[in-house]
Amino acid sequence: MRTPLVAGNWKLNGSRPANAQLVDAVLAGVPAAGKCRVMVCPPYVYLADIAQRLQGTSVELAAQDVAEQPDGAFTGEVSAAMLAELGCTHTLIGHSERRTLFGETDNVTAGKFIAAQEAGLIPILCVGETLSEREAGQTQAVVDRQLAAVLDASSVHALATAVVAYEPVWAIGTGLTATPEQAQAVHSAIRSRVAAADAKIAENLIILYGGSMKPGNAAELLAMPDIDGGLIGGASLVAEDFLAICAAAAGTA
Ligand code: PGA
């Protein structure tokens, strides 16, 4: 049985007072333990603050990105060991904004995935197609390629301590959402790919959906058998909306 996971990706948003309010409001409304795991992904500079606020609570902490390198002359980068030291247990890897706006290739993504695991962090590997790729019928090929880059660089066993997030690029921040059937088809294909290499790892793999998930569409997406939670951008900045999605996820547990 996979416990649902709902992670809030704050992206480049927040301030100390706004974060304090948001985190306190989330903490006041998290579902009962065991029903749904809840996670927040604040910008780097706030991680230490938020780690302190989350201490002794069930809400987990993740970074939005990580350096591929462990240390050295890489100005502006933050290593996986540093994130672990601050209290992060997870980090996003290969979010579509990193891939498209910052030129991260599949190879870089695979390097970051490995760097995260080497420092004991659980990577949340983001995959997903653009609108033109979907329209060209390439959705599965793109997702396969993104997944294969990581599997080739490590192995299927690496997915025993990882999470996958399917985020169709055309649905991120656009208000467009994949239908539950569209999302389920990709989630199920991802699980089948992994199952071909290791059935047990596939069965336990948490696969999140991301892309304009909101209180109004969360329940029907989360009801699909291979959708194990959500990676939430915009709606994670409003405690009430984020908690409504967590409640919908808890309802499927
Ligand atoms: P969105 O973002 O919920 O605002 O579409 C999701 C994400 O980018 O992780």
Side-chain angles (χ1 to χ4, degrees):
M1 201 44 219
R2 300 181 294 268
T3 304
L5 167 64
V6 177
N9 174 10
W10 295 2
K11 308 192 180 187
L12 184 53
N13 293 292
S15 67
R16 279 183 146 164
N19 298 345
Q21 245 183 354
L22 179 56
V23 169
D24 287 352
V26 168
L27 285 173
V30 284
K35 293 258 181 201
C36 169
R37 290 169 57 204
V38 177
M39 186 180 289
V40 291
C41 318
Y44 284 142
V45 289
Y46 298 124
L47 287 170
D49 262 8
I50 308 238
Q52 215 167 22
R53 259 195 144 68
L54 295 182
Q55 220 164 28
T57 77
S58 64
V59 175
E60 301 170 60
L61 186 65
Q64 299 176 13
D65 188 22
V66 65
E68 197 182 346
Q69 302 83 4
D71 51 34
F74 301 101
T75 302
E77 291 293 276
V78 175
S79 77
M82 292 172 187
L83 296 175
E85 192 180 19
L86 286 190
C88 290
T89 52
H90 294 64
T91 179
L92 303 183
I93 301 280
H95 187 279
S96 77
E97 286 149 19
R98 301 301 318 168
R99 294 178 189 262
T100 57
L101 303 176
F102 298 95
E104 279 186 17
T105 62
D106 288 339
N107 275 347
V108 169
T109 297
K112 290 185 171 195
F113 183 100
I114 291 168
Q117 287 195 330
E118 278 175 353
L121 292 180
I122 297 177
I124 301 175
L125 173 67
C126 304
V127 297
E129 82 290 358
T130 62
L131 185 58
S132 59
E133 288 165 341
R134 172 162 284 266
E135 286 172 350
Q138 294 167 348
T139 299
Q140 208 48 59
V142 169
V143 169
D144 277 353
R145 191 201 72 221
Q146 292 169 335
L147 196 60
V150 167
L151 292 179
D152 292 349
S154 45
S155 84
V156 69
H157 298 289
L159 290 183
T161 47
V163 171
V164 173
Y166 168 57
E167 298 204 302
V169 179
W170 49 273
I172 295 178
T174 58
L176 297 172
T177 317
T179 64
E181 293 72 24
Q182 283 174 325
Q184 166 61 22
V186 178
H187 282 232
S188 146
I190 292 171
R191 202 179 303 285
S192 302
R193 281 282 180 275
V194 178
D198 190 306
K200 192 157 163 33
I201 288 174
E203 177 57 31
N204 292 327
L205 181 65
I206 292 179
I207 309 177
L208 308 179
Y209 169 79
S212 300
M213 199 190 260
K214 307 185 264 286
N217 59 27
E220 54 176 9
L221 284 158
L222 293 164
M224 302 311 275
D226 289 298
I227 301 184
D228 307 314
L231 180 53
I232 319 300
S236 74
L237 300 173
V238 180
E240 197 185 343
D241 290 352
F242 186 59
L243 288 170
I245 297 170
C246 295
T252 68

